[in-house]
Structures are given as structure tokens and as C-alpha cells.
Amino acid sequence: MAKKRPQTKAKRPQPSDAVRVGADGEVPVVGAREPCPCGSGRRYKACHGRAAAQAATELVHRPFDGLPGECDWVAMRELVPAATVALSLKGGLPEGVPSVTLATVLPMAWPALRRDDGSVLLGLQNDTASGDISRDLADTLRRALTAEPGTPVQGRRAPADGPRLQDLLDPEGAFEPVVHPGFEFWVPDPENSTPEVAASLERANAAAIPTAKLTGVDAAYWCETPEKNHLRWVMPHPEEQLLDALARLHAAGRSNLGEGTRLVGSFRAHGLTVPVWDLPSGVTAEDVEKPAAEFAERLAGALASDAPLTADERRARGGLTNRQVTLS
């Protein structure tokens, strides 16, 4: 059993204690049970910390909604081992920052890195401190843009009223992920990397599942595993409508992607649905390009139908729902 910390009585703040509030009018962040620095006499969690606490507990179910490439954001966050994409900022890049790149993972699991040349790498697959991934990432990005070149940026709890990615990124900017076979993009000069980074690179490469992005449809990713291959396809359609459409196709025997393939269920991630197909081991990403494009046409027709589900379609839907897994 953990030892209890000795309890000490905190001095009750006096009105004059308000001078501890920053010159810019912001109240500093302190422990939840400590007296609020504003001088109210209440604990921080019941005063100025209330908004931060609420933001930390309220989950934003679609944190990437409104960003270009929302489906690919979800895929890079949950499904793809090694990928990067160039980000465009509102108003352009700050002076001294030649580029900003989103990456699935960074060495040592850093939230962000300002490279020696001033460029910024932002890690996506990191734990976040609040229920809004977008706000946490935006806070990390802002600090990375002004960090000293050659230094990583550590994670922290983002201010509850801080900007989100939707406030910082250009809504018209392209979002085109590049999937890599490994994490060599971490180090522009591998021969001069530190031993810690080299070891982290070796571990990450050993654990990466071979993955490829299909070119004929949006946000569909093929991956190779020892027993079988898979296609995981992040779709933007409302969940109930998509499940109905998939059930119509499944009941009609039209949900596969060719001989030996099978729609086996779906993930639920960040407010979107990700249907998953099992593929034979010999089926490559190139092999599934044409079947996926043909399936997209069949799905569009099924999505357009508003007829009630038949008994067979309801059974198919129940089977798909029972095999649905929530990732986030």
C-alpha cells in the first residue's frame, strides 16, 4: 500500500496574493488541491482549474473533423506504423522553419522535434493529456515552432482554451501521407545519430508491420502479417448508414475483394468506422487495387438505398456489429 503524504495546512490566500497572477492576466497552473493563484481562497480545481479539468475529461469523439484528410489522420494515428505527411499552416511557415512534417512516431517517442535546420517533426501516435487530441497536438506544434533547433519537445497538458489543429492548419492544404518501409526518416544523417536514437530506430524497424496505401481509393491501407494479409479502410460515412450498406452487400455476397478475401468486421476509431478484410497471404497491395475500386462503386450504390433491411441483411448487420472493435 502506498504511503500517505503528510498533510500540511496551506496558508489561506489573501486578496493581495492576486499579484501572483501573470502580467498577461493568465492564472498559473498549480496542483488541483492547491489554493488557486487568483486569490479567491478556493482550491484550483474548483476555481480557475475547472475548465482545464473539464477539458481533460470530456472526450472529443472526432478530433480530426474538419481537417483535410480526416480519414488518413485516423489511419496514421491508429493503423499505420511508419508514415509522414507535409503540413501547411495558416499564414505560411514562420521565419526559420523550412517545413513542418507530421509523423506517425518519432524517436524516443518524443511528441515533437525541432531539427538542427529548424524544421519541425510532429508525432501523432503519442499519449495525450486531455480528451481532445487535436488541442494537445496543436499545443505541441506551437511550442515546437519556437523551440531551439536540435531539441525535442516534451508533452504537457494543453491549456483548455488553447487552439486546436483546425485553428493552426491551412484548411485548403493537401494531406498526402507517404508510407515508409521503416523509420529512417527520423535521421537525415544516420551515421551521426546518437546511440539512443540508433537503438530506438532499430527497435521500431523490427516491430513495423509492412504496410502500403492504396492509390485508387481514399484512406485504404494494406498490411502484411505472418498468417494472412489485411485491408483496413477508414471511411467517412456515418456509422449506422455505413453498417447498413455493408450489411446489404454482405448478405448479397458482394462484400469481398476477390477470391479468398472476406469482410470480417470493423474498427471504430475517432468517430469513424474502419471496415477490415482478410486477404490470402499471396494478395499484395497491387492485387487489391482494382477490387477495392470496384467495391467502392458497389458501396456507393448501397449507401444510396433507404429501403428497410431484409431479414438476411439484418442478420448480416448483426454479425458485423458483433465483430466491431473500438480503438478509441
Side-chain angles (χ1 to χ4, degrees), residues 47-68:
C47 192
H48 281 85
R50 183 175 297 170
Q54 184 176 10
T57 56
E58 288 189 356
L59 177 65
V60 176
H61 291 281
R62 286 184 65 178
F64 308 118
D65 185 23
L67 291 173

Side-chain angles (χ1 to χ4, degrees), residues 127-147:
D127 292 335
T128 55
S130 79
D132 187 352
I133 297 171
S134 178
R135 196 180 308 280
D136 289 328
L137 288 170
D139 179 68
T140 301
L141 174 57
R142 290 181 75 192
R143 290 185 290 121
L145 292 172
T146 58

Side-chain angles (χ1 to χ4, degrees), residues 159-246:
D161 58 351
R164 307 178 73 236
L165 287 173
Q166 288 82 346
D167 302 315
L168 302 184
L169 301 184
D170 183 356
E172 303 300 323
F175 193 85
E176 300 174 354
V178 176
V179 178
H180 304 278
F183 295 88
E184 281 71 21
F185 65 86
W186 283 355
V187 280
D189 186 9
E191 294 182 358
N192 293 322
S193 61
T194 65
E196 292 82 3
V197 170
S200 183
L201 175 61
E202 184 177 355
R203 290 192 301 270
N205 281 342
I209 296 174
T211 300
K213 186 179 189 298
L214 299 195
T215 59
V217 295
D218 292 333
Y221 291 81
W222 168 94
C223 68
E224 180 182 24
T225 62
E227 287 113 13
K228 62 186 73 172
N229 299 341
H230 305 279
L231 184 74
R232 301 177 291 190
W233 192 341
V234 187
M235 296 187 172
H237 316 292
E239 180 179 359
E240 296 303 315
Q241 181 187 9
L242 177 58
L243 289 175
D244 281 353
L246 292 173

Side-chain angles (χ1 to χ4, degrees), residues 14-132:
Q14 301 300 318
S16 61
D17 288 339
V19 297
R20 288 181 293 173
V21 176
D24 57 2
E26 293 188 1
V27 176
V29 175
V30 299
R33 298 177 65 84
E34 294 180 30
C36 187
C38 76
S40 66
R42 291 181 290 173
R43 289 176 175 172
Y44 178 70
K45 69 176 184 179
C47 192
H48 281 85
R50 183 175 297 170
Q54 184 176 10
T57 56
E58 288 189 356
L59 177 65
V60 176
H61 291 281
R62 286 184 65 178
F64 308 118
D65 185 23
L67 291 173
E70 179 188 7
C71 293
D72 285 309
W73 277 91
V74 172
M76 287 183 63
R77 168 76 183 184
E78 299 294 341
L79 307 175
V80 182
T84 57
V85 58
L87 297 180
S88 301
L89 306 186
K90 287 182 179 178
L93 295 169
E95 184 177 357
V97 180
S99 64
V100 175
T101 302
L102 180 72
T104 48
V105 180
L106 294 182
M108 316 299 291
W110 288 325
L113 171 65
R114 182 93 186 269
R115 281 179 161 163
D116 291 334
D117 65 355
S119 61
V120 168
L121 288 177
L122 177 66
L124 182 56
Q125 294 182 12
N126 291 88
D127 292 335
T128 55
S130 79
D132 187 352

Side-chain angles (χ1 to χ4, degrees), residues 228-232 250 255-256 260-267 274-279 319-325:
K228 62 186 73 172
N229 299 341
H230 305 279
L231 184 74
R232 301 177 291 190
H250 202 58
S255 64
N256 62 55
T261 69
R262 187 166 67 98
L263 175 65
V264 293
S266 62
F267 297 130
V274 188
V276 179
W277 285 262
D278 279 352
L279 313 173
L320 292 172
T321 303
N322 290 337
R323 295 191 297 274
Q324 191 173 49
V325 177

